[in-house]
Amino acid sequence: MNVLALFKPITTFVLDVDGVLTDGTLQLLPGGEMSRRMNIKDGYAMQLAVKKGYRVVIISGGRSESVVSRLQGLGIKDIYTGITEKKEKLQDYVFENDLRWDEVLYMGDDIPDYMPMQMVGLPVCPADAAAEIKGISKYISPLPGGHGCVREVMEKVLKLNGHWLMDEGIASK
């Protein structure tokens, strides 16, 4: 089967944060605050997906007010942080929203993502994901975490479904 055929039915993007939306590094600031970097192109794709009616879901073990604020600013409403049992959170979300597993894409990069990734129709990962995650992924982005890998996979889904349009009204990041 052509892997692109797995991208077409996707209606829901489930994303980890550290190592997927960020490059996985933390900058330690005075006072104990930790800073992360996110790619603006990933942000554009996420806000476009939301505006086009796709679900964008964040399930992260980390906690960061600045990350939540950034994601909310992109229109993402389903943000779950501090989650230690990602598999259970994903199951609950899929059942509460009456989704089919084949319409869910999950992008993860490390061991905490292993179990939930095995449940979805399209498990994907960044180029620099852990070997175990690469082993169960049906698609590996050529880009590393925090460097546009989220946009790269979202763009495939949106283009296949005719939703990657040049529209002035969606150009804000």
Side-chain angles (χ1 to χ4, degrees):
M1 171 187 264
N2 179 350
V3 72
L4 282 179
L6 299 173
F7 283 84
K8 185 138 176 68
I10 298 302
T11 64
T12 304
F13 299 96
V14 180
L15 308 169
D16 180 31
V17 174
D18 292 320
V20 173
L21 287 170
T22 75
D23 64 7
T25 60
L26 294 173
Q27 181 177 7
L28 304 176
L29 303 173
E33 188 176 342
M34 293 180 271
S35 172
R36 294 164 171 87
R37 292 181 347 160
M38 292 186 165
N39 188 294
I40 200 79
K41 291 180 181 175
D42 287 342
Y44 176 78
M46 288 187 290
Q47 64 86 30
L48 177 59
V50 169
K51 287 179 180 177
K52 292 294 182 178
Y54 292 84
R55 295 175 188 272
V56 178
V57 182
I58 306 300
I59 301 178
S60 176
R63 293 181 194 267
S64 168
E65 302 259 340
S66 58
V67 168
V68 171
S69 178
R70 166 69 175 147
L71 296 170
Q72 287 174 336
L74 296 172
I76 300 169
K77 294 177 178 36
D78 299 322
I79 304 169
Y80 306 99
T81 61
I83 304 299
T84 57
E85 299 295 331
K86 291 183 176 188
K87 177 183 174 185
E88 284 76 15
K89 179 45 102 180
L90 178 62
Q91 281 178 311
D92 291 346
Y93 186 86
V94 167
F95 294 132
E96 288 167 8
N97 290 281
D98 198 28
L99 300 173
R100 294 184 332 266
W101 289 109
D102 70 325
E103 63 186 325
V104 179
L105 175 152
Y106 189 113
M107 184 174 240
D109 72 305
D110 212 343
I111 301 305
D113 302 307
Y114 188 88
M115 295 299 288
M117 287 178 70
Q118 289 189 310
M119 301 167 65
V120 301
L122 186 53
V124 302
C125 69
D128 58 345
E132 295 86 351
I133 299 302
K134 287 181 175 179
I136 62 167
S137 293
K138 292 183 180 172
Y139 178 78
I140 300 171
S141 173
L143 302 171
H147 293 275
C149 63
V150 171
R151 175 177 177 147
E152 195 259 335
V153 298
M154 286 186 158
E155 190 173 329
K156 286 182 183 342
V157 173
L158 273 63
K159 281 183 175 178
L160 285 167
N161 290 293
H163 295 138
W164 191 261
L165 306 174
M166 299 304 292
D167 180 348
E168 306 259 337
I170 56 173
S172 65
K173 291 183 174 96

